[in-house]
Amino acid sequence: MTINANLDKLLDKAFEKYDLEKLPAAPVSALAGVSDADAESLAKAFNIKTIGDLGRNKHFRAAVAIVNLVDAAK
C-alpha cells in the first residue's frame, strides 16, 4: 500500500524528499527544530540516534500516552 504524506513542516529541508520508509533510520536531527546539540543530548541521555529510536523509546511513548489520555478526558 502506498502512503503519501506531506512531512515538510516536520523535517529539516535536507530530509524532505526522503522516502517515508527510510525516515526511521534518519538521524533525529532530521526532525525540524532538533539541532545537532539536541541530537547529541538525546544520544547521551537515552541512546537515541535515529527518528525510529525516538519514536520507539519507552519513556517518550509513555509521555505521549499520558498526554493523550489527559487531553481525551477534557
Side-chain angles (χ1 to χ4, degrees):
M1 170 173 42
T2 302
I3 297 173
N4 291 317
N6 185 344
L7 303 176
D8 292 355
K9 293 185 187 230
L10 300 177
L11 298 171
D12 185 81
K13 289 272 186 212
F15 293 88
E16 288 178 356
K17 302 298 181 200
Y18 260 50
D19 289 332
L20 183 62
E21 299 83 25
K22 294 181 181 179
L23 284 173
V28 73
S29 60
L31 294 170
V34 178
S35 69
D36 289 336
D38 295 334
E40 287 178 26
S41 295
L42 286 167
K44 185 176 180 180
F46 297 103
N47 196 32
I48 292 172
K49 299 174 185 154
T50 67
I51 292 173
D53 293 341
L54 181 63
R56 294 179 184 105
N57 180 276
K58 67 180 182 179
H59 304 294
F60 288 91
R61 283 186 169 196
V64 169
I66 290 167
V67 170
N68 287 338
L69 288 169
V70 169
D71 289 348
K74 291 182 181 176

